[in-house]
Amino acid sequence: MKKSIKVMLLPNNKQKTKLFQYANTARFAYNWAIAREQEKYKNGNKFISDNDLRKEFTELKKTEEYQWLNNISNNVTKQAIKDACNTYKRFFKGQCKYPKFKNRKKSIPSFYQDNIKIKFSNTHVKVEGFSESKKQNKQKINWIKLAEKKRIPTNCKYTNPRITFDGLNWWISVGIEYENSNVIPTNQGVGIDLGIKDLAICSDGNTYKNINKTSIIKKLKRKERRLQRSISRKYIQNKKGEKYCKTSNNIKSEKELLKIKKRLTNIRHNYLHQTTTEIINRKPMFIVLEDLAVMNMMKNKHLSKAIQEQCLYEFYRQIQYKSEWNNIKFIEADRYFPSSKTCSECGYINKNLKLSDRIYICPECGNKIDRDYQASLNLEKYGENVLKSIA
Ligand SMILES: [Zn+2]
């Protein structure tokens, strides 16, 4: 089982400069490779293999104009060329659009590290080639501090280490191979109803509230709106003819806005991880979720924003992969399964139930129950039936 871990970096100023240099060089190599492929493609030839391109690139490094390329670790450019060739291959297979150049302003600065040479200590990661000197105090620059201690295991096999910049901070992501657990959970299965009022209602009686209704989020969102308005106002004030001019204050507030936005996503995603991990840690035999298309159908103007803020897709994704890690059966209910319209006591289907009816009252047996909780009970039953039909 492969897990991918992402940890924030805490580089010092010298390291920051190096990081941007590396990312810029990776972009240069990527664009150079795309340009070479384009030339070939326009002349009617097919594809230059990444091996040939790399040889060509090594020759390029020997010329005076491109000598600066030698300051950057070989693996960075090697992988960038490989990435470019891979997008080209995908294009030929019809899997993506015609490859574009990476724009300095629009693309995300990132580069690759060699998965064999990369090293982690409990607190630092070793990046290749920041300093060539063997002296110990010079070697220090190669070790970048990690924001989380002991999050990434030391001394194991790493795959595809990448370092990226998100506009505020640098991050390292790396794949790690874990042994598969063979413990099969035996606790009662659980059905989960996802919604707007609450994030998740579980059939075992646990409810997880909608984080967007808490005061921290509301406060941040107010701040975001205010800043957004003031920024767009200043854009218009500073407009010179057709051109927008950004003052240093503009840039400052833009960064501030980006920070608030990141903070909001962080709080939301952190909450999702806490919730999904808690559900998984109760070790149910199976988990049933509604078909996601059902959530889509609920999409009207007012709800779609609320759904987007709840990040239900992300919830779904997390439950899915965390179930797989823990040998929990993940079941997706059929999209026509009437989870909220069915009475959990007698099975009567109330077709007249409206979205505004929060309490379900069964006309057949008089059962009175919270609508969302009942939906989760129905989903749990659905899961039981699925498992019975397999066995
Ligand atoms: Zn009933």
Side-chain angles (χ1 to χ4, degrees), residues 52-259:
D52 290 340
L53 269 183
R54 283 213 299 268
K55 271 177 206 156
E56 220 177 287
F57 197 77
T58 318
E59 290 305 311
L60 191 74
K61 274 168 142 184
K62 287 174 191 161
T63 62
E64 192 145 345
E65 196 188 344
Y66 293 107
Q67 228 177 19
W68 56 276
L69 284 169
N70 292 308
N71 296 333
I72 275 86
S73 151
N74 196 20
N75 282 306
V76 174
T77 47
K78 207 163 103 185
Q79 186 65 34
I81 291 169
K82 214 171 172 183
D83 286 348
C85 289
N86 282 339
T87 38
Y88 240 88
K89 272 181 206 157
R90 262 185 284 136
F91 163 68
F92 281 126
K93 281 182 196 158
Q95 288 164 339
C96 70
K97 284 184 194 164
Y98 192 65
K100 273 196 231 155
F101 292 111
K102 281 191 182 175
N103 181 299
R104 188 173 67 87
K105 279 184 182 163
K106 283 181 193 157
S107 71
I108 297 165
S110 75
F111 61 90
Y112 169 87
Q113 279 290 294
D114 187 78
N115 64 330
I116 309 287
K117 284 180 189 161
I118 198 163
K119 271 184 200 158
F120 287 94
S121 74
N122 286 332
T123 52
H124 288 72
V125 55
K126 191 185 181 195
V127 184
E128 206 199 331
F130 274 16
S131 168
E132 290 300 332
S133 164
K134 289 275 183 296
K135 280 183 192 158
Q136 215 173 11
N137 60 338
K138 290 268 171 64
Q139 273 288 311
K140 257 189 200 163
I141 193 178
N142 289 330
W143 290 87
I144 303 177
K145 198 171 175 193
L146 297 164
E148 285 174 90
K149 277 182 196 164
K150 294 186 184 174
R151 176 81 195 285
I152 298 173
T154 53
N155 286 327
C156 70
K157 267 190 185 170
Y158 306 105
T159 50
N160 201 17
R162 302 256 173 183
I163 295 177
T164 48
F165 183 69
D166 67 357
L168 288 174
N169 296 301
W170 284 94
W171 298 79
I172 182 156
S173 74
V174 63
I176 287 154
E177 195 69 44
Y178 284 90
E179 246 174 70
N180 283 3
S181 119
N182 38 25
V183 184
I184 308 281
T186 49
N187 291 339
Q188 203 180 347
V190 61
I192 307 171
D193 183 66
L194 298 177
I196 307 295
K197 199 172 134 262
D198 291 302
L199 168 66
I201 293 115
C202 304
S203 58
D204 57 13
N206 289 289
T207 327
Y208 296 94
K209 61 179 195 305
N210 182 346
I211 186 111
N212 294 302
K213 290 182 176 171
T214 56
S215 62
I216 323 168
I217 294 269
K218 279 184 177 166
K219 228 176 174 174
L220 277 169
K221 271 168 73 179
R222 267 202 301 278
K223 222 171 155 187
E224 185 191 11
R225 270 200 302 275
R226 219 181 302 133
L227 206 57
Q228 188 99 64
R229 269 202 303 270
S230 102
I231 287 174
S232 53
R233 210 164 37 229
K234 273 177 196 152
Y235 276 158
I236 293 164
Q237 274 173 10
N238 294 328
K239 207 174 170 185
K240 283 177 188 160
E242 286 292 294
K243 259 189 171 176
Y244 289 101
C245 288
K246 278 186 197 172
T247 61
S248 60
N249 265 332
N250 280 156
I251 292 165
K252 220 196 227 164
S253 6
E254 268 177 359
K255 209 162 192 184
E256 183 78 11
L257 183 65
L258 193 63
K259 258 186 197 163

Side-chain angles (χ1 to χ4, degrees), residues 343 346 362 365:
C343 170
C346 69
C362 179
C365 69

